[in-house]
Amino acid sequence: QKSDIKAPEKFALKETRIVTRNIGVIDPRNIDEYIARDGYFALSKALKMTPEEVIKEIKDSGLRGRGGAGFPTGLKWEFTAKTKADQKYIVCNADEGEPGTFKDRLIMEGDPHSVIEAMIIAGYAVGATKGYIYIRGEYYNSVENLKKAIKDAYEYGFLGEDILGSGFNFDLTVRLGAGAYVCGEETALLESIEGKSGRPRLKPPYPPQSGLFGKPTVINNVETLANVPQIILNGAQWFRSIGTPNSPGTKVFCLVGDVNRRGMVELPMGVTVREVLYGFGGGVKGGRELKMVQTGGLAGTFIGPDKLDVPLDYDSMKNYGVSLGSGVILAIDDSHCVVDIALNTMEFFRHESCGKCTPCREGTRLACEILEKMTKFEATMDDLKYLEQIAILSADASFCGLGQSINVPLLSLINNFKEEFIQHIKDKYCKVGLCKEEKKE
Ligand code: NAI
């Protein structure tokens, strides 16, 4: 059956570049080119403000965490500022691990100073004198560009002692992750920086109360930080004029999968899936039918073509059951099998589960077993029921966000495409012909 989705005739998709404004424009390894585009002017401005004024500006802007959860950044800074301690830290979560997400890599590669400048401003605002950038070890170019940028920032007096004659000191270090998805979970990340095995801690206490080495810590995602210098320079009201009232600013989307044009695009919050898919992506590849879209990363929701006009922001999950997450939009055409997609997704979580808690470790394993049975047409309707129960149990009882999020992709697939699961069970039939009954000797 043909769907009635049509690509808009002519699409006026206009990028709004805040965090990507310098990418492809400046040489990221040349600090002078960053300065020529107003680089470090926000730092200079912030250092003339009081720390409270800096926090107020960020709070007023409504900036929310771009790693996926959307927690208000200014609040995080305020909590950290208010916690008394002899040492505080700023940590940049650059351990981008969500499959399909590569925005942080390109920001760090293309404009490393924007992240560094933001971390120094955050340090000044909350009273932290040391920062760490915890970055995926595989992000070779980002690591190189960041290290060069940090070296240059020290030489120019933006890092180190008495920054720009303000009396404020800030040191910055890069730490490399070793490829574990769970190390992007903020408390596992802190453990890893401390030299321990990357396993999550119980929250609360949240990092602003007890973070790195037990000290108050701000942890912000790369994209979140990259917004900060522009907010300080242009003001909270300017930022609020972009996006939606509850989710101001832009979001960097990563469009992947079966589309004509894949890539990264920065658009105001509230843009619809259809606009990104057709306006930027040029529609489905090879003229095939769009079967579904996964939004928000592998832990995000699978939606059918009926939800393409949902505006993406931090309320879209609550209002429409469509996650924004880290901003991935994965287009899936009609050559894919729903059960195979579910299995693929669960295999990722099984592989990345750290094993600390039973619901996640065993839940992901059992989910894979059931889905494998389905692909071989050996599953029963009870198995489908167990699969739903595993998803709910894992969400309710897992220790950290990894296990807690497997219900989102799994239940959205089952709820939106139940018929195809049932076909595999009752009719022993895969309509795209991907699943085959194994020959038994
Ligand atoms: P969360 O909701 O537990 O926390 C979000 C942030 O808010 C954390 O920094 C947390 O410390 C802070 N926070 C929450 N309540 C607080 C309080 N009362 N006081 C102070 N701080 C508080 O979510 P979590 O587990 O940190 O992140 C989940 C998100 O991560 C998902 O939305 C998912 O999309 C995203 N994600 C992103 C990945 C990427 O590569 N960018 C990879 C995997 C997941």
Side-chain angles (χ1 to χ4, degrees), residues 66-72 75-76 79 95-99 101 103-104 181 184-186 203 206-209 219 221 296-297 299 324-326 400-402 404:
R66 301 303 200 245
F71 191 83
L75 263 190
K76 231 184 226 190
F79 292 154
D95 195 48
E96 183 172 50
E98 194 62 39
T101 315
K103 64 183 181 72
D104 294 342
Y181 176 70
E185 196 285 331
E186 58 180 7
K203 292 194 285 188
Y206 290 97
Q209 278 84 46
I219 306 186
N221 165 262
L324 172 66
S326 56
C400 83
L402 196 153
Q404 283 164 13

Side-chain angles (χ1 to χ4, degrees), residues 257-262 281-289 331 333-334:
D258 303 320
V259 281
N260 284 313
R261 191 164 81 146
R262 300 172 187 161
V284 183
K285 215 165 145 187
R288 294 196 74 108
E289 284 292 299
D333 73 23
D334 58 356

